[in-house]
Amino acid sequence: MRTYRISANFPFALPVTFIAVLSAAWLILNILPIPVEGQFEPKWINPVLATILLIPTGFLSFKMHRCCLTLHENDLVYTPLLGAPRNMSYKDLQKISIGGKSYCIYKADGKVLIRFDDAFTSDASDIVAFLKSKGVPTEL
């Protein structure tokens, strides 16, 4: 029995992670007693602004890494960006849309469940073959 895990591709994942790293560095530089040029005049405002940036961007980076679709033999589990994981069956999937090296899985109501491609997902063609064997139709 093989289990597949498809991580969601977010186009804004890299900028969010970059902002989180910059705000963490800004927070560390303002907490350590190192003189830094170009700080705001009230000394307490720099760590506050860095923390205000770090908390939501760190949270989003963590949640984007966690968002995935896990395919098991009899069912699948979808972990959305925000919200609790959902157990689904293969009958809940409408189709797989194949466009070059990118794939899109649609739910029964016609909405996109998850997008993935060959570049970021290992065994993408095996995943599509597995879903075909479970009776999910494909569309080119």
Side-chain angles (χ1 to χ4, degrees), residues 73-139:
E73 190 64 35
N74 298 325
D75 63 343
L76 51 112
V77 179
Y78 176 63
T79 307
L81 182 64
L82 301 172
R86 294 181 220 148
N87 290 328
M88 302 172 72
S89 68
Y90 290 103
K91 294 176 185 174
D92 296 333
L93 301 180
Q94 180 184 12
K95 64 181 176 180
I96 305 167
S97 177
I98 301 172
K101 293 186 176 190
S102 63
Y103 309 99
C104 188
I105 300 175
Y106 291 91
K107 295 189 295 186
D109 59 359
K111 294 182 181 177
V112 174
L113 180 64
I114 197 164
R115 292 172 199 221
F116 62 101
D117 55 12
D118 286 335
F120 297 107
T121 305
S122 61
D123 301 332
S125 57
D126 292 341
I127 292 170
V128 172
F130 179 76
L131 288 171
K132 283 182 185 178
S133 72
K134 293 297 180 182
V136 180
T138 59
E139 174 185 274

Side-chain angles (χ1 to χ4, degrees), residues 8-130:
N9 294 340
F10 292 104
F12 53 89
L14 188 63
V16 167
T17 305
F18 183 70
I19 292 171
V21 169
L22 281 180
S23 60
W26 187 23
L27 181 64
I28 291 170
L29 283 175
N30 285 295
I31 290 176
L32 295 176
I34 301 172
V36 178
E37 294 288 327
Q39 289 186 343
F40 294 118
E41 188 49 42
K43 297 293 183 188
W44 58 270
I45 201 161
N46 287 307
V48 170
L49 288 175
T51 304
I52 288 172
L53 277 174
L54 180 62
I55 290 173
T57 55
F59 177 75
L60 273 176
S61 294
F62 171 73
K63 293 297 262 183
M64 282 188 280
H65 178 69
R66 190 178 156 264
C67 184
C68 68
L69 178 68
T70 308
L71 306 172
H72 300 288
E73 190 64 35
N74 298 325
D75 63 343
L76 51 112
V77 179
Y78 176 63
T79 307
L81 182 64
L82 301 172
R86 294 181 220 148
N87 290 328
M88 302 172 72
S89 68
Y90 290 103
K91 294 176 185 174
D92 296 333
L93 301 180
Q94 180 184 12
K95 64 181 176 180
I96 305 167
S97 177
I98 301 172
K101 293 186 176 190
S102 63
Y103 309 99
C104 188
I105 300 175
Y106 291 91
K107 295 189 295 186
D109 59 359
K111 294 182 181 177
V112 174
L113 180 64
I114 197 164
R115 292 172 199 221
F116 62 101
D117 55 12
D118 286 335
F120 297 107
T121 305
S122 61
D123 301 332
S125 57
D126 292 341
I127 292 170
V128 172
F130 179 76

